Amino acid sequence: MQEGAAAMATPRAGVMPKIETQAAAFLEAHPELDGRGVVIAVLDTGVDPAADGLQTTTDGKPKVIDVVDCTGDGDVDTSTEREATVDDEGFHRVEGVTSGVSLKLPKALEGRWANPTGAYHVGVKDAFTLFPSALAKRVAKKRREAFEAEGRRLLTLEQGKLSAFDTKHGCTQPAKAGGDVAGGLSPALRLERKELAARVAQLTARLAAYEDLGPKYHCLVWHDGARYRAVVDTSETGDLTTAAPLAPYCDEHEFSHFGDVDKLTYCVQVYDAGKLLSVVADCHPHGTHVATIAAGYYPDQPELNGVAPGAQVVSLKIGDNRLDAMETTHAVCRAVQYMMSHKVDLVNMSFGEAAGRANAGRFIKLVDELVYKHGTIFLSSAGNSGPALSTVGAPGATSSSIIGVGAYVTPAMMADMYSLRQTVPAIQYTWSSRGPAVDGHAGVSITAPGGAIASVPNWTLSRNQLMNGTSMSSPNAAGNVALLLSALKQKGVAYSPHTVRRALENTGKAVPGVETLALGTGVVQVLNALRHCEQYQTALDKDVRFDITIPSRENARGLYLREPHETRTAFEGVVMITPVYHEDACNTKRIAFNLNLAVSCAASWVHVPETLLLYHSGRGINIRVDCDTLPAGSSHYTEVVAIDEAHPEAGPVFRIPITVVRPAAGLTGGAAELTAVMPFEPGQIERRFLTVPEGATWCDVSLKALGDDPRRNIVVHALQLHPQLPFSAYNSEQYHFIGGAQDEAALQSFKVIGGGTLELTFAQFWSSLGRSTVEVKVEFHGIVADTGVPIANGPAAAAGVTLQGAYGYARVDVAAPLRQESVDVSCSLTGHLRGFHPKTAVVKALGERDLFPDARQLHELVLEYEFSAPEAGEVYLRVPLLNDLIYDAAVQSQMLMLVDAHKKVVGWSDAYPQKLKVGKGKHVARLQVCHDDIAVLEALKSALVLTVERVLEKSAAVSVTPYATRADLYHKGAEAKAAALAKGARRAIFLKAPTVKESLQKHLQPGDVLTGSMTLGKARQAGPVQAADRPGGYKLTYVPPPAVPEGPKAPEDKEDAAPVPEKKEERDAAEVASAEAALEKELRGLRIKHLKQLCDEKKYVAYEAAWDGMKPAAAAGFIRYDVEATNQVLSLLTARLSTLDGLPHREERLADIVAAADAVVTAVDAGALAAHYGTLLDPEDLAASRLRKKMDVQKAALLDALAKKAAACEAMLAGAADEAAARERFADAYAALRKWVDPAAGADHVDLYVKHCIAQGRPALALEKVSTQLAEAEVHMAADKLKKLHAARERLLGVLEWGVLEEAEAKATAARFPHGYPCF
């Protein structure tokens, strides 16, 4: 039992179901065949190896043998290499990757700290990218509470100081509003009180502005001579002397946790010779719960054991914390690559999504290789999207190589797990997904109990938790398969994924009342499956799988006839059956393969041959399906089965699933399509299939409870299928609580496709006890916008509604083909869309983690896109060519990282783009795409366009006005009013190109569009549910007209040519003088250039010698009336000043710096400069403009010299013999600078301003100024200037002795200005 865990009463069997699958009987009969020798890979959100039940197996081996992050969310770039130094106390020090961070190591580097090479790899990680979102909120709350407690203490002290001052000096609040509380004080005391008041105000402001960006953990990696070690500085102090170095988990099975508050377990992996550290932590309780169901072991409470307590677990994390535990294609593919390289017996994957194509995509191809080549058995959840048909998810129930698992619930589970007051017979969960897959594959293969109370990670602060779903049924089934494999291995019975699958499917137990498309072949029966494997271990088909395809239907794996045109007549076609051996199998086996099969089908409406002699090259059989004889409005499922005539009792060798849906013909007379009274019991399902009338755009379904029954939970699930779209595209599922004393009708509206088949499924939720009677009414509606009607002398509109600003308007013809409808046109543009091509596109090989066993190397394509947000707000980032595909995606990654101008991460996005909050200014979007074929990536370099859609604020949304006639467009006529449109009638609507506000117009560029929607239906007034915008509206796109061109550009500013003398002698003399002046200018320029080249640390001695020789020439160059000559020499003087100021041991040259600054100041005619800037510049005076540019050079040199002089004078204060004189010298230098610039304005001189204020005893007033600057800082301010402002604020907070705020500022600054991009 886990230390400190509370004693738990003995739970009942239904808490961890094993009886239903024969697992309990199996373990009782074979206690040592409990999963021993079997390794289960759990592809999930990560497994906490410290969680209860996950420490050891029944035979004392480690339970969790490897923990791997396949997502990359825990990756730390440790490619920066450092060497340790020894400090004055004898401790070893390693400089961190962040400037100013020093990591303290033990004095003796031995044992785990041994480092023969002396090389250390350093990196840094944001903790909140590792913490699950719920945990991050909890930790942030605790950190805020501690921060606020210290803040209150400091505020009390500062308020006390102010109060004491006021009491001492008799400062009272004036009776008259606006009076001065310090009116009677001397100037010095007034300033003192102002500083005290500023302390209170600034402390209050900084406490209110607190933003916790989370801990930043510095990481250290080294090689101890035997293996890599790593330390994560979870203390955030840099002191690692008491830290315990961790080895990669696979080496020593070590783990730790970040702290007592979070209790989040982590471990490490090291890749690429120490250049990449992976900090692995789970991102959701789901993965630990799943692992415990499959293989948990509680030696002190065996009744809590998972199904296979003797099995071992490999945790492969595919849930990405950056995406709130969503899986990515890259993660699931990387997990398969790991399993290819590290032998695992069995896989459980309780993840999945809807997919538009079945059994297709890069991930599916890799899984096929894993199963068919490497012999790994793969189970996955079928999905939780039922009860409608064809809701099975990818990959579990849509892929041939994966065993898809459905979920059911038994009376024991209802009583023990859910604590229901009464139970009902075993039944499939209402939400368990149903088959078939879109290509006719059966979908669900087997079923297992779909709930459990099992362990969860320690960070949840709970020992265990109830979860249900096919996510729970899949590991239950996987645990049963682990028992089976454990027995087969120990008994020496050969097996393959095919024999195990057939054993499971041919021994499954039927559940009365549950349809095959939900249940699959039945509930797992592990004892029976073991007997099947033992009995038929020498069968001819034991090493063979059978590919079933229907060539006439794009090689579909089953027959699925659903749409009206498919079921009007009988289907007749050929089904191909191809035996497939392992690629390494002996050809003799292929040649010898002959299997006599008896073929049959239980359905009278399916006709098949009776026998089939199957050989290795495959055979086709002709089948006929009499669809037209089946009842309309319902679904029909059957299977063609093939039995080995030598072993008929073994069950089917293969199955050909056949599903026929015959929709009832839709009504066209305006009446309700369906009115029915349906009686229900818990879990009961009623299905209706209707042909959606052409012209229908939405459907209304209303429910009303009949009788006096209490409230019941009734689900309405509507679904249509559309080619290469996931079922979720036209899927509407809602749960309605109806009945009871105040019963009201429930209304559900959803979009439909005219002419297609609509499934309407009604069900009473399985745990909604008691009977009910429900009246159902279904109505189709349609308001159709014909957007292809050409407007006069203009083009026809494209799909949707496109409003061309250049044309000024668009015509839309609206019709009501089904019934009279109330038409109320509403148009709004709510998005600003712009497309971007990548600025850079680089392909490179990834590291050892992405190398396949056959030496295939994964490569990445990283593309960078730049865009600027005109204001803070929300955006959608999309890569249309890649988005919305995961399991059926052709490439391995589409991770998108959005950072601001300082490389701080703004957000992450992947297959399903989410809204991201952005600040004003420049952003960079970095897209990673991966594949092992470089040619694929090269082809994508120019094909991947990024679209950025900015969500407009409500105040900025653009309204598009509809008018009834064209004349109304320009005569300011009335808007088109809501009106009834008779069945079959048409109405023209004219949309006027909108006037875009200047605040938006100024940001529009050629190619931009505004996006929004046009809705046509009016809200239905009856019933409690008001659907204000009916489904079936249209996307509205507005293409703004070309911008008004700018006026002609001003002529280029060129030097005025000197007048040409009339006389030849004068012209010759002028030419000679000009040539001499040009020569002198060139020589002076060369001398200055030579000196500037010597202006660096290495050449400084030569520079000083050359400078001494140049002094007379430099003095001669100070020609007051020759501004250009002065500027040339100034460039030399400023170069010398900058060199002196930047040399090592600056403190030894402070006097030289002051002298060099004085030389610059002397070289500038300050009076002339002041006079020049004291007059306004005439923008039309080109000569004056040229002079201003040259004077700007002198002003910049003067300001730089004054600032450097003041800084040097301030530095002289330390250790000055005459402190008063040194302070006066600094004050004079600072005053000289203030004559030209306010040091408190901007970041250029903020250091001096802060030092001056500290010297004057006014740090709080300085803090006020600095904080105001930061609040008003331009978003385009350079990072170095922003850093200076933040550094100034941090220093002031330290001077004020507000340590908690100083620390918070330092951490926030480090977070705002990361050293580089994070890893993908």
Side-chain angles (χ1 to χ4, degrees), residues 15-98:
V15 168
M16 182 65 73
K18 303 185 195 73
I19 296 174
E20 296 83 348
T21 61
Q22 297 182 337
F26 185 102
L27 289 167
E28 184 176 356
H30 311 288
E32 294 191 359
L33 306 182
D34 58 358
R36 298 177 201 187
V38 176
V39 176
I40 306 174
V42 176
L43 277 61
D44 216 288
T45 60
V47 175
D48 180 0
D52 206 13
L54 293 178
Q55 279 68 59
T56 63
T57 64
T58 51
D59 54 350
K61 295 179 180 178
K63 172 63 68 175
V64 182
I65 59 175
D66 207 356
V67 179
V68 178
D69 172 24
C70 299
T71 68
D73 69 12
D75 285 0
V76 185
D77 180 0
T78 51
S79 58
T80 301
E81 193 169 319
R82 302 274 197 247
E83 291 186 357
T85 59
V86 180
D87 65 15
D88 295 339
E89 297 179 356
F91 290 99
H92 290 82
R93 294 277 182 173
V94 175
E95 180 185 350
V97 73
T98 303

Side-chain angles (χ1 to χ4, degrees), residues 66 72 86 131 155 194 198 319 477 583 613 634 819 880 917 958 1020 1049 1065 1095 1214 1247 1267 1293:
D66 207 356
V86 180
F131 288 15
L155 189 57
K194 188 176 181 181
E583 63 180 48
L613 175 59
S634 57
R819 63 179 76 233
K917 290 185 178 181
V958 179
R1020 173 175 165 178
K1049 292 185 177 180
E1065 295 81 1
C1095 275
D1247 289 342
S1267 294
L1293 291 169

